[in-house]
Amino acid sequence: MIGILGPTASGKSFVAESLAAELSAQLINADAFQVYLGFDIGTSKPKESGRYLGIDLLNPDEQFGVGQWIRFVLPHLESCFNNRQNAIIVGGTGLYVRALFEEFSDMSCEPDPALRAELQAQLADKGLTSLTDELIKLDPSTTVDLANPVRVTRALERLRSTNEFQFALPPYRKLKFALLPTVAATDRSIGLRLRAMMDEGFVEEVRRLIEQGVPKEAPAFRAIGYRTILRLLEGEIVGEEALSSIETETRRYAKRQRTWIRSEPNVNILEAETPDEFLSAMRLWLSANGGV
């Protein structure tokens, strides 16, 4: 079972798909927003999404979190293991990968009353921003409405609860890799990818979602770029301003992902510049460490 992490636009999907072809592995999505139907271009959904499990699972207005993702993934991993098939889990939502590989047991929906009281006191004393900052630090890809104090508090309760949701992984050999390009390389990739997304029809995708009746407050619209495109469509900003805003937001997200990776347990960090170099580095690591 191989996990592949990395900042946005680092080439995770390319590396995962290439390895999956070589290892006859099942690809499993670990991106919090690629689970939503219709949110394709802005989430960089893989072109061959049919190769993955965990893509296009939900309507855009449905809530989804790490506990639900774990419950979705487990039976598929058990099936793969029973069929002697490798599995590759890939995506930018580090919390999902960490919770799965480290077999976290703190995802209960019933929080400790003392924890709830602590969070309510924090909300009263320091305001909502202190809670949203903590939530984003713990789960950078959260889909929770950050303007809603009840939902922010509940999300923090679930993440910090000491109550247990017990699960056990099949006895795979577990390997976790982080692709870590330089900041300059990441910034270049983000700029190139954003312009490609615009050429592919990002604006038209958002317009179509609104025409289909997807509410603007839907959790899926928290994916980076979508609300900025909404402002563009509503005439609040112009095209270059939208591009600059999305690029800045994406770079900040990549920075948070790097911070997360630095605290990731049991991870093998690979440093390179391009997806091809990362793929070569991972092949070399596997070959030098007993293969798969």
Side-chain angles (χ1 to χ4, degrees), residues 172-246:
Y172 272 110
R173 178 190 180 199
K174 296 188 294 182
L175 300 171
K176 200 187 319 179
F177 296 91
L179 315 185
L180 208 60
T182 63
V183 173
T186 300
D187 288 349
R188 284 195 303 271
S189 296
I190 287 171
L192 290 171
R193 189 178 71 175
L194 175 57
R195 279 149 185 80
M197 288 160 58
M198 299 301 283
D199 290 342
E200 290 170 13
F202 191 8
V203 175
E204 289 72 21
E205 176 173 283
V206 176
R207 181 184 288 113
R208 183 174 63 254
L209 290 165
I210 293 299
E211 290 173 350
Q212 291 171 349
V214 178
K216 297 175 184 179
E217 65 275 10
F221 268 122
R222 280 196 39 75
I224 289 175
Y226 280 88
R227 289 184 174 171
T228 301
I229 299 297
L230 280 175
R231 294 177 62 209
L232 174 67
L233 291 172
E234 292 170 354
E236 296 181 17
I237 55 176
V238 296
E240 284 304 313
E241 188 178 358
L243 279 172
S244 177
S245 176
I246 296 171

Side-chain angles (χ1 to χ4, degrees), residues 13 31 67 83 113 120 131 134 148 182 192 198 215 220 239 280:
S13 295
D31 183 286
N83 291 322
Q120 290 298 328
L131 296 181
E134 183 178 354
N148 187 318
T182 63
L192 290 171
M198 299 301 283
S280 295

Side-chain angles (χ1 to χ4, degrees), residues 20 45 57 82 97 102-103 107 109 112 118 171 180 190 226:
K45 201 169 285 182
L57 298 178
N82 290 337
V97 178
E102 305 307 317
E103 299 180 71
M107 291 171 286
C109 294
D112 182 345
E118 176 189 337
L180 208 60
I190 287 171
Y226 280 88

Side-chain angles (χ1 to χ4, degrees), residues 6-278:
T8 188
S10 58
K12 296 185 294 294
S13 295
F14 169 80
V15 172
E17 290 174 8
S18 300
L19 276 181
E22 296 171 13
L23 304 177
S24 300
Q26 173 63 60
L27 288 160
I28 299 176
N29 168 57
D31 183 286
F33 292 103
Q34 291 179 1
V35 300
Y36 289 111
L37 290 159
F39 284 68
D40 304 330
I41 296 172
T43 64
S44 297
K45 201 169 285 182
K47 303 299 182 186
E48 298 182 63
S49 59
R51 296 179 61 187
Y52 290 75
L53 295 171
I55 288 180
D56 292 339
L57 298 178
L58 303 169
N59 292 320
D61 59 349
E62 296 182 81
Q63 294 285 349
F64 193 73
V66 60
Q68 291 154 298
W69 183 79
I70 293 284
R71 288 182 173 92
F72 168 80
V73 167
L74 281 176
H76 292 293
L77 286 175
E78 289 165 0
S79 176
C80 289
F81 184 82
N82 290 337
N83 291 322
R84 302 185 61 80
Q85 184 180 20
N86 300 310
I88 297 178
I89 294 90
V90 57
T93 305
L95 177 64
Y96 286 11
V97 178
R98 183 180 298 182
L100 180 69
F101 273 73
E102 305 307 317
E103 299 180 71
F104 274 9
S105 59
D106 58 354
M107 291 171 286
S108 171
C109 294
E110 296 299 328
D112 182 345
L115 173 60
R116 175 167 289 183
E118 176 189 337
L119 292 171
Q120 290 298 328
Q122 183 178 340
L123 176 64
D125 294 342
K126 299 181 181 179
L128 181 59
T129 301
S130 70
L131 296 181
T132 58
D133 288 348
E134 183 178 354
L135 178 58
I136 290 171
K137 181 179 179 181
L138 291 172
D139 183 5
S141 296
T142 180
T143 61
V144 170
D145 180 2
L146 298 182
N148 187 318
V150 173
R151 291 186 176 178
V152 170
T153 303
R154 294 294 181 269
L156 280 171
E157 287 173 355
R158 288 192 293 271
L159 288 170
R160 291 177 50 186
S161 174
T162 57
N163 293 332
E164 293 187 348
F165 158 44
Q166 296 283 356
F167 72 90
L169 290 169
Y172 272 110
R173 178 190 180 199
K174 296 188 294 182
L175 300 171
K176 200 187 319 179
F177 296 91
L179 315 185
L180 208 60
T182 63
V183 173
T186 300
D187 288 349
R188 284 195 303 271
S189 296
I190 287 171
L192 290 171
R193 189 178 71 175
L194 175 57
R195 279 149 185 80
M197 288 160 58
M198 299 301 283
D199 290 342
E200 290 170 13
F202 191 8
V203 175
E204 289 72 21
E205 176 173 283
V206 176
R207 181 184 288 113
R208 183 174 63 254
L209 290 165
I210 293 299
E211 290 173 350
Q212 291 171 349
V214 178
K216 297 175 184 179
E217 65 275 10
F221 268 122
R222 280 196 39 75
I224 289 175
Y226 280 88
R227 289 184 174 171
T228 301
I229 299 297
L230 280 175
R231 294 177 62 209
L232 174 67
L233 291 172
E234 292 170 354
E236 296 181 17
I237 55 176
V238 296
E240 284 304 313
E241 188 178 358
L243 279 172
S244 177
S245 176
I246 296 171
E247 189 165 351
T248 298
E249 188 180 2
T250 308
R251 288 181 177 184
R252 287 173 179 164
Y253 179 51
K255 182 178 180 180
R256 294 199 300 270
Q257 289 174 307
R258 287 176 173 276
T259 300
W260 180 275
I261 287 168
R262 282 195 288 271
S263 68
E264 185 69 27
N266 306 311
V267 68
N268 302 289
I269 293 179
L270 304 177
E271 296 180 333
E273 292 286 306
T274 68
D276 282 321
E277 291 174 352
F278 279 120

